Amino acid sequence: MTKDFFEHKASSYEQNKSRVDNVDNIANSILSAVEFDKTMHIMDFGSGTGLLLEKIAPYVGKITAVDISKSMNKQLDEKRKAIGCEVEIMEIDLEKSDIAQKYDGIISSMTMHHIKDTKSMFIKFYSLLRSGGFIAISDLDIEDGRFHTEDTGVFHCGFDREKISKIVEDAGFRNVEASTASTVHKPQGKFPVFLLTAVR
């Protein structure tokens, strides 16, 4: 049984203003970088309570929310009817499970640092996309370990933009770009967040 690292914080997850502001900034960056339309079926990888997908939903036809956390998925399910497109929730560990569906795009916010083998995950993202599909993946710039003050299954203290861009290129993607999307303000410091976009 996989531990649900967010079980104790799911119900209050969206009460953290810094977290909500960060996802708002990421969503705005994605909306500026990607041209969406209502025919699209996209995946939100590490969807949590749906903070990111809520912002993208009005611009697409369907979002498949993929998250390993039962408690976070429950929070998303409770507000599913208020979201601006069809939402499918898949409670799976994408590192270990395969999906037959192909997507027009994959979005993700602050999830990749929880993924042990990022190289394999980007290869999987490539396989899950239709030709011309995109990724828009946001996460922390490399940091000194102060960002997380509790154990939530963290494997990476952020990422070097050049190194993660090379991993994405090696997975087969083209038009790889990384830009600053947000800054998370915490008592222990300021933490820049990047948005990485690429096309299959």
Side-chain angles (χ1 to χ4, degrees):
M1 181 68 186
T2 303
K3 179 180 178 182
D4 187 346
F5 287 100
F6 293 88
E7 185 174 9
H8 66 290
K9 63 196 302 183
S11 61
S12 61
Y13 193 77
E14 297 184 11
Q15 293 170 17
N16 182 315
K17 185 178 186 301
S18 174
R19 178 181 292 127
V20 173
D21 289 347
N22 181 49
V23 179
D24 283 350
N25 291 337
I26 290 168
N28 290 333
S29 295
I30 291 173
L31 289 169
S32 295
V34 177
E35 197 169 315
F36 291 98
D37 68 63
K38 294 293 283 185
T39 68
M40 285 184 169
H41 179 189
I42 67 168
M43 175 195 288
D44 182 358
F45 173 63
S47 46
T49 61
L51 281 173
L52 178 60
L53 70 82
E54 284 179 287
K55 302 290 184 182
I56 307 300
Y59 305 96
V60 299
K62 180 177 179 179
I63 298 176
T64 295
V66 173
D67 203 293
I68 196 172
S69 169
K70 183 180 291 293
S71 54
M72 298 290 257
N73 289 331
K74 182 175 182 289
Q75 294 295 317
L76 173 57
D77 187 49
E78 287 174 358
K79 60 182 181 181
R80 191 199 306 229
K81 290 177 182 175
I83 294 172
C85 74
E86 182 184 350
V87 176
E88 173 188 27
I89 299 174
M90 295 185 70
E91 191 171 299
I92 62 167
D93 182 348
L94 197 58
E95 286 190 281
K96 300 174 182 174
S97 303
D98 292 317
I99 299 173
Q101 174 72 43
K102 299 287 186 183
Y103 300 91
D104 298 302
I106 298 171
I107 61 173
S108 182
S109 165
M110 307 293 281
T111 299
M112 292 305 294
H113 60 262
H114 296 286
I115 302 304
K116 188 173 185 179
D117 187 346
T118 51
K119 181 178 180 180
S120 293
M121 186 56 71
F122 280 112
I123 291 170
K124 179 164 282 191
F125 285 164
Y126 189 88
S127 73
L128 285 167
L129 289 171
R130 297 187 178 97
S131 180
F134 69 89
I135 54 171
I137 309 294
S138 192
D139 214 303
L140 290 162
D141 279 300
I142 201 156
E143 49 100 9
D144 60 7
R146 288 182 301 148
F147 183 85
H148 291 92
T149 55
E150 58 187 325
D151 180 17
T152 52
V154 174
F155 290 103
H156 309 275
C157 294
F159 298 94
D160 177 279
R161 294 187 192 189
E162 286 189 15
K163 289 180 180 177
I164 197 169
S165 294
K166 179 68 165 57
I167 289 171
V168 171
E169 287 175 355
D170 289 347
F173 287 95
R174 56 192 171 85
N175 301 345
V176 181
E177 294 184 18
S179 58
T180 301
S182 184
T183 301
V184 178
H185 298 268
K186 290 195 166 194
Q188 61 270 35
K190 297 179 182 178
F191 300 91
V193 173
F194 65 84
L195 174 67
L196 187 149
T197 55
V199 178
R200 186 192 196 283

